[in-house]
Amino acid sequence: MISDLHVHTNFCDGKNSPEEMVLSAIEKGVNRLGLVCHAQMPFRVDWAIRKENIELLKQEVARLKEKYKDRIEVL
């Protein structure tokens, strides 16, 4: 089993959307993918998730987990 449990997306300092990262992982033969973000900070920084996006990220991970459940485990 090939896993990558530390993948950043455009919810923090990554360049690609969560779905783009999932599709890339599938293409590369990854079986388990962990989508992560740098924790929210008490001050504004460009590299951490914003408070207002935390719930959106949770929803997106749940959506991708269901959509691709037969091809990859999304965490």
Side-chain angles (χ1 to χ4, degrees):
M1 176 162 293
I2 300 172
S3 300
D4 188 343
L5 302 177
H6 193 105
V7 176
H8 291 263
T9 71
N10 57 1
F11 274 88
C12 60
D13 64 344
K15 294 184 177 157
N16 299 95
S17 72
E19 189 155 17
E20 289 170 330
M21 296 306 292
V22 169
L23 291 172
S24 178
I26 291 169
E27 181 181 298
K28 292 171 176 62
V30 173
N31 306 99
R32 182 182 299 138
L33 186 70
L35 301 172
V36 300
C37 280
H38 296 285
Q40 173 200 357
M41 302 298 290
F43 47 87
R44 184 142 180 155
V45 293
D46 292 335
W47 47 265
I49 192 166
R50 294 182 184 149
K51 183 178 181 178
E52 62 268 18
N53 289 335
I54 293 172
E55 192 57 40
L56 292 173
L57 176 61
K58 289 179 185 179
Q59 292 170 7
E60 182 65 356
V61 169
R63 183 185 76 80
L64 295 170
K65 186 175 191 152
E66 178 62 26
K67 181 175 181 177
Y68 296 103
K69 67 183 175 187
D70 296 331
R71 299 171 71 190
I72 191 170
E73 181 181 5
V74 178
L75 307 170

